[in-house]
């Protein structure tokens, strides 16, 4: 039977411990992976555990993880997020509980619809000694699901509380079989009293810890947002869908029927913990790039583009010699053969030259974007704490790239360090790498860093909009007269060279620093006040839309 199944659905087969280490099969005799949709099996462990008699049950179970629960990595992440909320202070056990929950759903279907001998697998997995309360609880759920005699799978005795909870667990598995993501938080809450320091060991060693490496080599989308029902880790005893009793608010509870205001997005720390729980083996820098990109996507708009008076169309004007080394497709073969039937590259070959004629439609000329971000010691590290300057920079930068513009990001903490992209670029990864980096030096963005980019600009270069994200410390650096000129002189000169306007976004009370702000505005800068860094998200979205609408031709 094994040989026939392996021909139909060949897994990664491990014969030795070295093979298991290479495949990452460290916690079980079987494993699934999302990155390559592989099933990995250990022949050595199957034989040592006496499981070679259950080829159909084991292969069907592993396939069930791929097609049913969790099915894909995004649903696995949604399930873990709910379970972590149902396991306060024991969030690290969520992957193990999720594995057991998925096993219950899959095995119940295999037993009831295909009549496979799944109980026989668990009898073979039963070991000597005390299995622990958690494993006894899970085995008692199986006995209720399949109407098995008490003790046929759960070797240890069950007290009254465990017996009631096992009945609730069996009811939950059946009730949420088609909506198992919503039932996952409830299952975690039910398991919570049975989880102790030995629960992970006994649950992993005696069960199929086959989803431990599910996220290895993969990177799921859609996990930065918190779903509406994610916090509903309700204990099944209070679940009206299981008890049949409608939940009622507590007497005297105020605000009945109103939803409490809460954040809609995860902090980057919570996002990183969720990915690690899924087994995603990504670096903190890669996690930060994915986090800020994903949070920016709902806010992206087309970045502003200027209108030239007329677009141009190519106009054939004449011929010129084609030299070896020029693109081969530019040879004008008809005129070349007219000159001589013998083709001599560089002697008889010619190419067409073109001029430009006004076209019928206006031509789009995207405005490039310079993003200067205060990366001083008072700013959060984007890889450890959600940084709203980095998120705002991602929104406007990705909007610019979407419209065809180029972007340059510069981080500065002066006096101290700077980190800058070498040139304006359309490489999204390069932009996000700098945006999510951290310096943590100095007091604010050093406006004299603008000279590094704009002193060499010429009128032939693309127009650039300069966007600075800082706070009131910017003015101290504007007043700095080191190297013989003030920051005001550099800012004024750079803005003129950019030719695309400038915006200074400052986190400080409206109306503060009235004199210096008026000076900035007189030099051509737009100044925007922020009462809190969180307001940067709305600003970045509105800034991009406002700039685009100003240049959009309306019918």
């Amino acid at each position: 039977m094994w040989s026939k199944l392996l021909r139909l659905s060949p897994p990664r087969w491990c014969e030795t411990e070295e093979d298991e280490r290479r495949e990452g099969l460290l916690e079980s005799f079987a494993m699934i992976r999302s990155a390559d949709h592989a099933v990995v099996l250990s022949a050595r462990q199957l034989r040592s555990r006496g499981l070679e008699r259950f080829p159909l049950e084991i292969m069907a179970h592993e396939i069930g993880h791929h097609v049913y629960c969790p099915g894909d990595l995004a649903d696995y992440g949604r399930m873990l997020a709910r379970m972590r909320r149902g396991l306060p202070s024991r969030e690290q056990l969520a992957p193990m509980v999720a594995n057991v929950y998925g096993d219950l759903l899959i095995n119940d279907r295999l037993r009831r619809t295909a009549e496979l001998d799944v109980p026989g697998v668990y009898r073979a997995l039963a070991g000597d000694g005390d299995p622990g309360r958690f494993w006894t609880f899970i085995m008692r759920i199986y006995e209720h699901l399949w109407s098995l005699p008490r003790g046929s799978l759960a070797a240890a005795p069950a007290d009254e509380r465990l017996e009631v909870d096992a009945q609730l667990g069996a009811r939950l598995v059946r009730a949420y079989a088609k909506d198992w993501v919503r039932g996952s938080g409830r299952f975690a809450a039910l398991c919570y009293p049975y989880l102790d320091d030995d629960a992970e060991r006994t649950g992993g060693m005696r069960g199929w810890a086959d989803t431990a490496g599910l996220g290895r080599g993969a990177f799921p989308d859609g996990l930065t947002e918190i779903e509406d029902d994610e916090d509903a880790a309700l204990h099944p005893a209070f679940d009206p869908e299981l008890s049949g009793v409608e939940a009622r608010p507590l007497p005297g509870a105020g605000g009945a029927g109103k939803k409490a205001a809460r954040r809609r997005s995860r902090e980057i720390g919570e996002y990183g913990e969720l990915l690690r729980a899924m087994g995603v083996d990504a670096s903190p820098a890669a996690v930060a790039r994915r986090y800020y990109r994903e949070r920016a996507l709902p806010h992206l708009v087309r970045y502003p583009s200027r209108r030239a008076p007329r677009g141009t169309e190519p106009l054939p004007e004449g011929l010129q010699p084609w030299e070896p080394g020029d693109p081969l497709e530019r040879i004008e073969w008809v005129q070349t053969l007219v000159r001589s039937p013998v083709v001599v590259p560089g002697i008889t070959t010619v190419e067409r030259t073109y001029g430009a004629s006004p076209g019928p439609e206006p031509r789009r000329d995207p405005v490039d974007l310079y993003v200067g971000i205060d990366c001083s010691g008072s700013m959060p590290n984007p890889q450890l704490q959600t940084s709203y300057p980095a998120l705002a920079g991602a929104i406007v930068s990705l909007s610019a790239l979407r419209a065809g513009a180029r972007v340059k990001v510069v981080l500065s903490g002066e006096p101290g360090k700077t980190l800058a992209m070498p040139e304006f670029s359309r490489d999204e990864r390069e932009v996000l790498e700098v945006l999510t980096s951290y310096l943590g030096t100095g007091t604010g963005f050093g406006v004299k860093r603008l000279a590094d980019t704009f002193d060499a600009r010429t009128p032939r270069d693309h127009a650039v909009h300069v966007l600075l994200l800082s706070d009131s410390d910017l003015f101290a650096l504007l007043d700095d007269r080191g190297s013989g000129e003030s920051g005001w002189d550099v800012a004024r000169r750079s803005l003129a060279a950019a030719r695309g306007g400038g915006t200074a976004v400052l986190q400080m009370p409206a109306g503060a620093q009235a004199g210096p702000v008026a000076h900035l505005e007189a030099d051509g800068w737009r100044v925007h006040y922020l009462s809190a860094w969180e307001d940067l998200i709305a600003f970045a979205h509105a800034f991009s839309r406002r700039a685009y609408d100003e240049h959009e031709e309306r019918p």
Side-chain angles (χ1 to χ4, degrees), residues 33-107:
R33 280 198 302 254
S34 177
D36 55 0
H37 302 286
V39 172
V40 184
L41 296 173
S42 169
R44 180 185 65 85
Q45 293 190 53
L46 287 169
R47 287 191 294 266
S48 66
R49 296 184 180 217
L51 297 173
E52 66 274 12
R53 298 174 290 120
F54 306 101
L56 190 59
E57 286 80 2
I58 292 174
M59 286 295 293
H61 178 92
E62 299 307 322
I63 293 171
H65 279 301
H66 276 304
V67 301
Y68 176 31
C69 179
D72 61 56
L73 206 56
D75 282 345
Y76 183 51
R78 295 170 62 216
M79 175 172 64
L80 279 179
R82 287 161 171 77
M83 286 193 161
R84 287 171 59 84
R85 281 168 165 73
L87 300 172
S89 77
R90 295 193 178 277
E91 292 88 352
Q92 75 278 8
L93 298 179
M96 184 270 292
V97 176
N99 202 154
V100 172
Y101 178 58
D103 290 350
L104 280 162
L105 292 161
I106 294 168
N107 291 335

Side-chain angles (χ1 to χ4, degrees), residues 454-467:
F454 294 104
D455 277 359
R457 302 287 290 184
T458 69
R460 294 188 300 273
D461 294 318
H462 285 186
V464 178
H465 187 92
V466 182
L467 176 64

Side-chain angles (χ1 to χ4, degrees), residues 8-25:
L8 292 175
S9 180
R12 300 288 184 89
W13 194 254
C14 299
E15 293 287 348
T16 64
E17 291 187 30
E18 182 179 352
D19 293 340
E20 294 170 10
R21 285 192 296 270
R22 184 180 64 252
E23 294 290 345
L25 185 62

Side-chain angles (χ1 to χ4, degrees), residues 54-247:
F54 306 101
L56 190 59
E57 286 80 2
I58 292 174
M59 286 295 293
H61 178 92
E62 299 307 322
I63 293 171
H65 279 301
H66 276 304
V67 301
Y68 176 31
C69 179
D72 61 56
L73 206 56
D75 282 345
Y76 183 51
R78 295 170 62 216
M79 175 172 64
L80 279 179
R82 287 161 171 77
M83 286 193 161
R84 287 171 59 84
R85 281 168 165 73
L87 300 172
S89 77
R90 295 193 178 277
E91 292 88 352
Q92 75 278 8
L93 298 179
M96 184 270 292
V97 176
N99 202 154
V100 172
Y101 178 58
D103 290 350
L104 280 162
L105 292 161
I106 294 168
N107 291 335
D108 186 48
R109 179 166 293 192
L110 294 178
R111 176 66 174 170
R112 291 190 300 119
T113 60
E115 298 184 351
L116 298 183
D117 186 16
V118 183
V121 178
Y122 281 106
R123 292 189 187 100
L125 287 171
D128 298 329
D130 182 9
R133 281 179 59 78
F134 177 71
W135 188 246
T136 301
F137 168 63
I138 298 301
M139 290 298 100
R140 191 68 187 116
I141 292 177
Y142 278 119
E143 291 175 350
H144 282 292
L145 283 171
W146 302 331
S147 301
L148 298 176
R150 179 180 295 196
S152 58
L153 294 179
D159 56 32
E160 182 178 357
R161 176 177 179 178
L162 189 148
E163 183 67 21
V164 172
D165 286 346
Q167 293 176 11
L168 282 172
R171 191 178 301 176
L172 184 149
V173 169
R174 294 281 172 84
Y176 288 99
K178 294 183 179 180
D179 194 8
W180 50 266
V181 170
R182 195 159 66 93
S184 58
R186 293 163 167 80
F187 182 78
L190 182 64
C191 292
Y192 185 83
Y194 303 97
L195 297 175
D196 53 27
D197 294 337
D198 292 331
E200 188 170 19
R201 178 183 61 81
T202 57
M205 291 179 63
R206 296 177 181 269
W208 284 327
D210 45 4
T211 60
L214 182 60
R216 192 173 297 122
F219 219 138
D221 290 318
L223 296 179
T224 60
E225 296 302 309
I226 299 175
E227 296 184 286
D228 290 339
D229 64 337
E230 191 172 302
D231 292 328
L234 187 67
H235 192 282
F238 305 102
D239 185 355
E241 297 188 37
L242 298 178
S243 65
V245 179
E246 192 66 30

Side-chain angles (χ1 to χ4, degrees), residues 466-483:
V466 182
L467 176 64
L468 302 183
L469 306 178
S470 187
D471 53 22
S472 59
D473 290 330
L474 179 73
F475 297 112
L477 296 166
L478 281 165
D479 292 332
D480 178 36
R481 301 195 64 87
S483 71

